[in-house]
Amino acid sequence: MSDDDVRYCERCSYIFLKLILFAYAIIWWLIGGFILAIGIYAEVERQRYKTLEGVFLAPAIILILLGIIMFIVSLVGLVGSLRDNLTLLKVFMYTLAVCLILELLGGILALAFRHQTVGLVNKNIRKGIVNYYDDLDFKNIMDFVQKRFKCCGGQEYTDWSVNMYHNCSALSPSACGVPYTCCITTKPNEVANTMCGYKVLEKTRLELIEIIHIRGCTDAFFIWLMDNYKIMAGLLLGILLPQFFGVVVSWLYMTRVEDAISEYGHYMDLLDSSADERVHKEQPHVAKWFRCMPEI
């Protein structure tokens, strides 16, 4: 193979790309293993509070699935970069590319069908509210969101009527009320009265303006996204760019491996040949393994 036959990035050497891809794969492999370990630990702790309806949306399950995918895909890339296995490298590259495309497609569809997306989110929040006191994961998340975004319920505060303890037909003290995390606090770090949401579902919106946050958390969250679009843009780039970088590096490295195979043949052929033949075959083309070095 002549120098003119070298494809794409001529200045990127085989060793350089190999080290970059190996480091990239091992970093994400370790991150995937860490996420998987956290997910398993969280799921073990969650078993006492698990509800059948929320099992597939539980944060622990999401972490486990994400960790497994990252761990396996990164391991494929790690082994492929170490062994120069084109099949594994292609699996790694195509998997990253498919994930990247699906994420972009999912974002585009969510924006194109934003009303349906919001409706789906509100529907799932109401399902979670039904099991609010039985699912500790959802309870902690909902309490945090309501306090952080100063909101109540999914679509609006009346969503809490679907909970058996907050429904107006219930016999509990919290009947016709909402959790205290919906209540308005006037001072920083103020401890809210746990009964501040007592009987608020019987009142009109105007009567509740100074008592609880009447807007829903879905609208509050999307308003926050619009107000902090720079942060979200940075977050999206932080998610998408590493995947795109992995696709590009994998692609470039595959071209180097293919060039090397076409130049030297399969590595098993070198193992089977005699030492003299091997030296004769390798020495005139050493520099072609390092495209950033001059020809010798």
Side-chain angles (χ1 to χ4, degrees), residues 22-40:
F22 175 78
Y24 176 88
I26 200 169
I27 288 173
W28 288 107
W29 180 64
L30 292 174
I31 293 175
F34 181 70
I35 293 175
L36 178 60
I38 293 177
I40 293 174

Side-chain angles (χ1 to χ4, degrees), residues 81-124:
S81 64
L82 285 175
R83 301 294 298 171
D84 290 348
N85 188 303
L86 287 176
T87 301
L88 293 180
L89 289 172
K90 288 179 180 179
V91 170
F92 179 65
M93 184 186 71
Y94 290 141
T95 303
L96 286 179
V98 168
C99 290
L100 183 61
I101 292 172
L102 289 177
E103 290 167 10
L104 291 173
L105 186 61
I108 293 172
L109 290 177
L111 290 175
F113 300 96
R114 55 185 177 276
H115 296 299
Q116 291 85 344
T117 302
V118 171
L120 181 63
V121 172
N122 288 330
K123 181 180 178 180
N124 280 280

Side-chain angles (χ1 to χ4, degrees), residues 264 270 273-285:
Y264 300 102
L270 297 178
S273 61
S274 64
D276 293 337
E277 292 174 343
R278 192 181 312 163
V279 171
H280 178 74
K281 190 174 184 180
E282 291 177 353
Q283 189 170 358
H285 306 286

Side-chain angles (χ1 to χ4, degrees), residues 41-157:
Y41 173 78
E43 177 61 18
V44 170
E45 292 295 317
R46 195 184 73 92
Q47 287 299 317
R48 292 175 298 173
Y49 308 99
K50 184 176 67 174
T51 57
L52 182 61
E53 292 81 3
V55 65
F56 295 109
L57 295 178
I61 299 298
I62 295 175
L63 287 176
I64 290 174
L65 293 177
L66 179 62
I68 290 174
I69 293 173
M70 291 178 62
F71 187 86
I72 294 176
V73 173
S74 300
L75 183 61
V76 169
L78 183 63
V79 176
S81 64
L82 285 175
R83 301 294 298 171
D84 290 348
N85 188 303
L86 287 176
T87 301
L88 293 180
L89 289 172
K90 288 179 180 179
V91 170
F92 179 65
M93 184 186 71
Y94 290 141
T95 303
L96 286 179
V98 168
C99 290
L100 183 61
I101 292 172
L102 289 177
E103 290 167 10
L104 291 173
L105 186 61
I108 293 172
L109 290 177
L111 290 175
F113 300 96
R114 55 185 177 276
H115 296 299
Q116 291 85 344
T117 302
V118 171
L120 181 63
V121 172
N122 288 330
K123 181 180 178 180
N124 280 280
I125 291 177
R126 281 192 290 270
K127 286 183 178 180
I129 289 176
V130 172
N131 301 300
Y132 174 75
Y133 291 104
D134 301 318
D135 192 331
L136 185 60
D137 281 339
F138 179 82
K139 183 179 185 300
N140 290 334
I141 293 174
M142 196 66 191
D143 287 343
F144 171 79
V145 170
Q146 290 186 148
K147 288 191 291 186
R148 173 64 179 81
F149 296 102
K150 302 184 186 304
C151 57
C152 189
Q155 186 174 5
E156 59 179 357
Y157 71 97

